[in-house]
Amino acid sequence: MSPPSRRLQTKPVITCLKTFLISYSLIFWFTGVILLAVGVWGKVSLEAYFTLASEESTNAPYVLIGTGAIIVIFGLFGCFATCRGSPWMLKLYAMFLTLVFLAELVAGVSGFIFRHEIKAKLGVAYNNAVTNYNSTDGSSSSSSSGAVDVIQRTLHCCGVNNYTDWSETAYFKASGIPASCCKDSANCSPESLKDPEKAGQEVYTVGCFARVTHVMESNLGIIAGISFGIAFFQLIGIFLSCCLSRYITNNQYEMV
């Protein structure tokens, strides 16, 4: 049994570590809420971009939502483990934080390394979507044609490189340039949309590929920055959890 003075020195350290770890766990819980919000926002706002990139409905937003929900649960678990002062719970919490750290690090590095491949794939997918455009398939943003319409309306653009790209498609020969390219749908007539020279005055002339990649790269940069920040933030939690578990275990041995 260790001297009482040593135990008295250990208790303030444990109390201090508990305070820091509870504060950390609450912040960690809040990052889970942010991921949930980003996942919901991505599902609502970026579905068209994900559809073009994957050529089918993507699960990426659901991955974010699921990850956020797990982090929320473990954030609360971290608070509970800290209040209980259970060494095995704290070790389990540290293991989970380690897994989160490694997963986010791998995802961030992979996204950075393959960013040019992602951009090239998106260009091919968008070009195919324009070539195979079908207005009857464009009522939903979950289809490639619907994604093209959403992007053209939202980003105020037309075609891949410019609006004249539509003149090379089968859709143009039958119906002209899609109405989603129109600056003002009330002033766009079916006749003018079938004439590239007249359409140039009524539709957006800037191509969508440059604008789509700009939007994607801007959002990927933000997401990557947040991911790296959260990933290295896990190291603080791992350190605090391991230290607290060690101090509590040592303190229990000292009381024997």
Side-chain angles (χ1 to χ4, degrees):
M1 184 174 181
S2 62
S5 60
R6 186 174 177 182
R7 293 201 305 272
L8 289 173
Q9 291 173 356
T10 303
K11 286 183 178 180
V13 175
I14 292 175
T15 302
C16 184
L17 286 172
K18 279 187 174 183
T19 302
F20 280 120
L21 190 55
I22 288 175
S23 300
Y24 169 86
S25 298
L26 291 174
I27 296 172
F28 184 57
W29 174 86
F30 186 66
T31 62
V33 174
I34 291 175
L35 280 179
L36 274 171
V38 170
V40 172
W41 171 76
K43 179 62 182 173
V44 174
S45 304
L46 300 179
E47 182 69 17
Y49 307 108
F50 286 131
T51 299
L52 283 177
S54 62
E55 297 183 346
E56 58 184 17
S57 182
T58 180
N59 292 322
Y62 296 112
V63 171
L64 284 175
I65 292 171
T67 303
I70 293 172
I71 288 177
V72 165
I73 293 170
F74 268 89
L76 294 175
F77 175 80
C79 291
F80 178 74
T82 305
C83 293
R84 282 288 304 272
S86 171
W88 73 266
M89 285 185 178
L90 290 168
K91 290 176 182 177
L92 181 62
Y93 186 46
M95 288 176 60
F96 171 74
L97 292 176
T98 302
L99 290 175
V100 172
F101 169 75
L102 293 175
E104 290 177 344
L105 199 61
V106 169
V109 171
S110 299
F112 179 78
I113 293 174
F114 296 108
R115 66 190 186 283
H116 297 300
E117 287 82 351
I118 294 172
K119 184 177 179 179
K121 180 181 177 181
L122 182 60
V124 172
Y126 194 83
N127 187 65
N128 290 338
V130 169
T131 302
N132 301 316
Y133 180 86
N134 180 359
S135 63
T136 58
D137 188 39
S139 59
S140 172
S141 62
S142 61
S143 66
S144 60
S145 298
V148 170
D149 283 334
V150 170
I151 289 170
Q152 291 186 151
R153 290 193 187 99
T154 305
L155 300 183
H156 297 169
C157 57
C158 188
V160 182
N161 299 307
N162 56 61
Y163 77 102
T164 59
D165 294 332
W166 284 105
S167 61
E168 302 173 4
T169 65
Y171 179 82
F172 178 83
K173 296 174 183 177
S175 306
I177 297 174
S180 57
C181 282
C182 293
K183 297 176 183 177
D184 185 355
S185 57
N187 295 329
C188 266
S189 63
E191 293 75 18
S192 62
L193 291 176
K194 292 181 180 180
D195 186 341
E197 292 184 3
K198 293 181 180 178
Q201 304 298 321
E202 299 179 4
V203 301
Y204 302 114
T205 56
V206 179
C208 290
F209 179 66
R211 292 197 174 180
V212 168
T213 53
H214 175 72
V215 170
M216 293 293 286
E217 287 174 351
S218 298
N219 286 305
L220 284 175
I222 294 171
I223 293 172
I226 293 173
S227 297
F228 275 112
I230 293 175
F232 284 100
F233 183 63
Q234 313 311 322
L235 295 177
I236 300 174
I238 295 169
F239 174 77
L240 290 174
S241 298
C242 292
C243 285
L244 181 57
S245 175
R246 179 173 172 271
Y247 269 101
I248 290 174
T249 302
N250 290 342
N251 189 58
Q252 288 173 345
Y253 280 126
E254 289 169 1
M255 294 178 65
V256 176

